[in-house]
Amino acid sequence: MYIRKDILLKLYEYGEMNQTRLMSICGLNNVKHKGIVDSMVEKQMINRKEEPWGNKTIYKYSISEKGKNLLEEVLQKYEDLFPRDNGDKKND
C-alpha cells in the first residue's frame, strides 16, 4: 500500500520520470519492484510512455488522472488514519 502511495506521490510531485529515477527516488529496487509499477500501469493509476534512445527504449512514467484521484481521495486518508510506524515505541 505504502509503496504504491509513494510512487503516486513522487510522480505527482516531480512529474514525468524515467524508470531508474522513479525507483531511485522511491527507494525501490528495479528488479524486485518492477511488478508493482507494471500493475499500476495495467490498472491505469500511472501512465507509461516508451521513447527510443539509440538502440534502447526508455520508459517514462507519469501519474494519471485516476492515480491523482486515488492519491487524494483514498491513500492520503488511509495514511492519516493509519500512519506509518516510524520505529518509535510508545507506552500505552
Side-chain angles (χ1 to χ4, degrees):
M1 177 77 117
Y2 293 119
I3 290 173
R4 287 169 179 81
K5 179 182 181 275
D6 286 344
I7 291 170
L8 291 173
L9 185 60
K10 296 305 178 192
L11 287 171
Y12 183 80
E13 290 174 352
Y14 291 89
E16 188 177 80
M17 285 187 259
N18 67 33
Q19 181 175 323
T20 303
R21 183 159 188 237
L22 174 61
M23 295 295 204
S24 176
I25 286 175
C26 292
L28 303 175
N29 178 293
N30 263 338
V31 175
K32 185 177 178 183
H33 297 105
K34 187 177 181 317
I36 293 172
V37 173
D38 290 343
S39 82
M40 291 177 74
V41 170
E42 289 173 18
K43 293 175 181 166
Q44 300 176 344
M45 294 163 43
I46 60 176
N47 302 314
R48 176 171 43 212
K49 178 172 66 173
E50 294 182 16
E51 288 186 7
W53 194 61
N55 60 353
K56 295 183 180 183
T57 300
I58 302 293
Y59 295 102
K60 292 199 173 177
Y61 296 91
S62 60
I63 191 167
S64 67
E65 279 302 313
K66 183 177 180 179
K68 285 179 190 176
N69 291 336
L70 182 66
L71 181 64
E72 294 167 356
E73 297 298 323
V74 177
L75 296 177
Q76 190 57 50
K77 291 177 183 180
Y78 180 87
E79 189 156 357
D80 291 344
L81 287 172
F82 304 103
R84 298 178 208 212
D85 181 17
N86 61 8
D88 294 339
K89 299 283 183 187
K90 293 182 181 178
N91 295 329
D92 290 35

